[in-house]
Amino acid sequence: PPGPLRRGKKRPNPKAKHDIFCKISNWSFIYITTSLILLLSIDPAHGQRVVQPQNGDNANFLRSDSTMRAGADTSKSDIDAPITYEAHHKDFDVLNNKLTLIGDAIVTYKSTTIEAGRIEVDWTTRTLTAEAIAETLAVKGDSLGTAAEADSVEMHIVGQPVLIEGTDRIVSDRLEYNFDTAKGRMVRGRTDFEGGKYSGEQIKRVAPNVLNVSRGTYTSCDLEANPHFHFWARKMKIIVKERVIAKPIVLYLGKIPLAVLPFGMFPTQSGRRSGLVIPRYGQSALEGRYLRDFGYYWAISDYMDAKLTADFYERAGWLFKGNFNYALQYNFRGNVSGSLTRKNFSDTGVKERRWDLRINHSQTIDKTSSLNASGTFISDNSFYRDFSFNPQQRLSRTLISQATYSKRWNKARANISVNVSENKDLDSGNIIRQLPQVTFYLGERQLFAPKKDERKRGLSSSRGGSSGGTANPRWYENIYFSYSSRAQSQFRRTLVTTDSTFDEETRSFASHDLGLRFNNPGKLFGWLGLSQSVSIDEDWFDRKRVYEDFAESSAAEQTRKGFYARHLFRYSASANTKLYGTFAPNIGPVKALRHVVTPSLSFSYQPDFSDPKWGYYQTVQTFDADSNIVEEQRDIFSFQGGSGTPRGEIASLSFSVNNLFQMKTLSGDEEKKIDLFSMNLSSGYNFAADEKKLSGLRTT
């Protein structure tokens, strides 16, 4: 309590800031006043409080807005932020200046939150103590059971203290915290950080970001009570988000000490940092106990890093794994990874020397060209099934290696790509290898483009300039063409199931696709728009198939090498026009209604290339399932790297009528055109069909 007041002058007392009320002679007045203020300030919903410093009187006071302000001078106090607390039950000891929170107690100060079953705050010493509480639970017994199964009472420990700062969360059996110094102590604290579990007999916070741990442990094992392995240190200093310093360090497998180091320092910064990779412990029925992924990560620079790890198996040996990554933004990126196993099984005497190598590289050579390459190589077909822990990699039974170079010419609207690849089936051993595949594409352009000076004269004439040029293009300037080609050399190795041998052959294939499109200049008869196009496809082969009649079950086939060409074409034409009907009611803002009718016709034709006159199909005689002789047509260019030869005539006409209803409104000077609704009708007619030539009518 403060000292006596002298008449006419106040003398400040340094102990006043630690008291809740100034001592006066009438103690009963203090009790009554305190009780009334506490009752008035209780929040009936949850009883939440906010403790907040304030300048002014030396006596603290409680306000009816559930806010408690420490009346001490904040210039001398370290509590410079609100302290919020809540609990199921609160006990405020005015004489001893203590606050006790029981039942799901929560105290928040700045970015620190403390949760516990019981929290006691001593405002005199500015300290907080949190601990768990015992909770009894009545268990109803079986009325027909024995005496041991009668009603009983069980006791549980609940509400273990939890310290939360940002995303960090530490659980302990007892917690002490000082608001002035921001220091604390935890008994048997434990927390999780980046996949690892940390614990300690005592954890002391000696600075805002420094923790001293006594008898600390670390493990990445999922078992919390009895982990398969853990590291133990008698003393440990943790500098948050920087490093951990410990001495001595003992590695335990179960409860058996395996290795010891006099001291160690481990970085804990986030992001890329060089350092040791903590292993994982386990046990295998075939290979015994093991340590996996023990090694070192090396952050070489901002553009590359590497990691080398090893798996040690007690009964077998070693599996070494490496990974190297590199990247330079806007230029290239890639990685090289692989593994090597050296295992000697003492029980069976088997020695394993197996490996794999994976390469990925992508590079931007310049603004118009790039290179991408990837490859996977293994020592045997069952490597990933035996060693990989990636389910997708274990189930994949195909190895793909490829490299692609692409180049484009923006002004010419052309591009080219060169690709080499290999696909290997790990189960059958079949291989398909492209050596190489070249694809070229040239975008659509005018076949007879006018010269630059002619374009300028035509543009000038269209704007009312010189009469020496023509405003409308000539008819042949409306012919457009596009071109694409593909060439490939393919090697195939196929398993022959009858005698388990491989059949190998190399095939070559090339194709040229030329597209021609003609737009009729202007309108026919002044109202009909017409467009026609022809697609011509020429394919080159280095072999064809020849079939023989009357095989045992199907036509026997032979391959005849040489140079063979196939020519395919397709013609299409389309015509359309527009009809307009307008009506001007001039009703309010509605000034006009319009009905737009767009009829169109499209025709496509492609001959039947299975007709004998084209020579692309061979008619053979063979046996059906009932041993009857039947005739079949076989494509002599099937499975040669391109698509099969189309069969069946195409002569189809499609027609449609699109109706669009619009409205124009005028509000002041603002004019709007609104699409009200549309109704479209479409159907078709197939001249080549034997029946049902007319298609159904579709309405939308």
Side-chain angles (χ1 to χ4, degrees), residues 8 16 55 207 226:
N55 295 328
N226 297 303

Side-chain angles (χ1 to χ4, degrees), residues 17-18 76-80 109-110 123-127 177-183:
K17 63 179 181 180
H18 300 302
K76 300 179 182 180
S77 173
D78 291 331
I79 302 182
D80 55 355
Y109 173 62
K110 294 184 178 179
W123 298 113
T124 303
T125 60
R126 312 293 182 91
T127 59
Y177 186 81
N178 188 297
F179 292 105
D180 287 345
T181 62
K183 297 180 180 180

Side-chain angles (χ1 to χ4, degrees), residues 614-627:
W614 299 101
Y616 301 149
Y617 279 81
Q618 180 181 349
T619 302
V620 297
Q621 292 182 337
T622 183
F623 297 100
D624 61 8
D626 299 327
S627 299

Side-chain angles (χ1 to χ4, degrees), residues 103-143:
D104 294 335
I106 301 175
V107 173
T108 302
Y109 173 62
K110 294 184 178 179
S111 61
T112 302
T113 300
I114 298 174
E115 301 176 356
R118 181 181 184 275
I119 297 178
E120 181 180 283
V121 182
D122 190 333
W123 298 113
T124 303
T125 60
R126 312 293 182 91
T127 59
L128 176 147
T129 303
E131 56 189 359
I133 59 175
E135 186 179 77
T136 56
L137 179 65
V139 179
K140 186 70 174 178
D142 189 354
S143 59

Side-chain angles (χ1 to χ4, degrees), residues 158-169:
V158 297
Q160 289 187 315
V162 180
L163 175 67
I164 304 173
E165 284 192 309
T167 58
D168 298 332
R169 182 184 179 93

Side-chain angles (χ1 to χ4, degrees), residues 158-412:
V158 297
Q160 289 187 315
V162 180
L163 175 67
I164 304 173
E165 284 192 309
T167 58
D168 298 332
R169 182 184 179 93
I170 304 178
V171 183
S172 62
D173 292 349
R174 179 181 173 84
L175 185 149
E176 298 173 359
Y177 186 81
N178 188 297
F179 292 105
D180 287 345
T181 62
K183 297 180 180 180
R185 182 173 73 95
M186 284 169 280
V187 178
R188 287 181 290 278
R190 47 204 177 274
T191 184
D192 295 345
F193 178 74
E194 292 190 353
K197 300 179 184 297
Y198 297 84
S199 63
E201 289 295 325
Q202 286 194 27
I203 302 177
K204 293 182 180 180
R205 180 176 179 175
V206 297
N209 293 318
V210 180
L211 302 176
N212 285 346
V213 182
S214 174
R215 299 182 180 275
T217 62
Y218 164 81
T219 182
S220 58
C221 182
D222 295 333
L223 299 179
E224 185 172 352
N226 297 303
H228 291 112
F229 81 99
H230 68 275
F231 293 90
W232 177 91
R234 184 167 53 87
K235 293 181 180 180
M236 186 183 299
K237 179 185 287 290
I238 300 176
I239 303 176
V240 179
K241 296 182 180 180
E242 287 191 18
R243 66 183 66 90
V244 176
I245 306 169
K247 67 174 185 179
I249 302 175
V250 183
L251 170 61
Y252 282 85
L253 295 183
K255 296 183 179 181
I256 303 174
L258 183 65
V260 61
L261 292 174
F263 70 93
M265 183 174 68
F266 309 95
T268 59
Q269 300 102 321
S270 59
R272 299 170 63 251
R273 295 290 188 277
S274 299
L276 294 176
V277 180
I278 303 301
R280 294 177 294 124
Y281 171 80
Q283 190 168 356
S284 169
L286 178 62
E287 299 176 294
R289 292 175 294 182
Y290 60 77
L291 283 177
R292 281 183 182 155
D293 296 329
F294 178 74
Y296 188 79
Y297 172 78
W298 184 19
I300 303 173
S301 68
D302 291 340
Y303 309 104
M304 61 185 69
D305 60 16
K307 183 170 72 171
L308 179 63
T309 60
D311 299 348
F312 172 72
Y313 297 85
E314 184 182 32
R315 300 178 187 170
W318 297 86
L319 173 62
F320 300 97
K321 293 176 287 185
N323 186 65
F324 174 71
N325 300 293
Y326 57 91
L328 182 60
Q329 193 173 16
Y330 309 123
N331 288 276
F332 57 82
R333 66 171 52 248
N335 75 291
V336 180
S337 60
S339 59
L340 171 65
T341 177
R342 297 180 60 87
K343 294 184 177 182
N344 300 322
F345 294 90
S346 57
D347 297 340
T348 59
V350 176
K351 295 183 178 181
E352 284 188 347
R353 302 294 185 267
R354 304 165 71 182
W355 56 269
D356 80 310
L357 178 64
R358 300 180 299 277
I359 301 173
N360 286 280
H361 178 82
S362 61
Q363 181 174 355
T364 302
I365 300 174
D366 54 37
K367 293 183 179 180
T368 60
S369 59
S370 62
L371 174 66
N372 292 277
S374 62
T376 303
F377 312 94
I378 56 177
S379 58
D380 55 89
N381 294 345
S382 61
F383 183 88
Y384 289 133
R385 189 162 51 193
D386 295 341
F387 295 105
S388 177
F389 295 97
N390 185 342
Q392 184 177 0
Q393 194 176 50
R394 288 171 59 89
L395 294 175
S396 177
R397 306 304 299 156
T398 303
L399 291 184
I400 301 176
S401 301
Q402 63 85 32
T404 303
Y405 170 79
S406 60
K407 170 72 176 180
R408 68 180 185 276
W409 295 270
N410 296 329
K411 292 184 178 180

Side-chain angles (χ1 to χ4, degrees), residues 549-550 553 555 619-634:
D549 295 340
F550 296 104
S553 58
T619 302
V620 297
Q621 292 182 337
T622 183
F623 297 100
D624 61 8
D626 299 327
S627 299
N628 298 320
I629 299 177
V630 294
E631 289 188 348
E632 292 183 357
Q633 286 187 318
R634 301 293 180 88

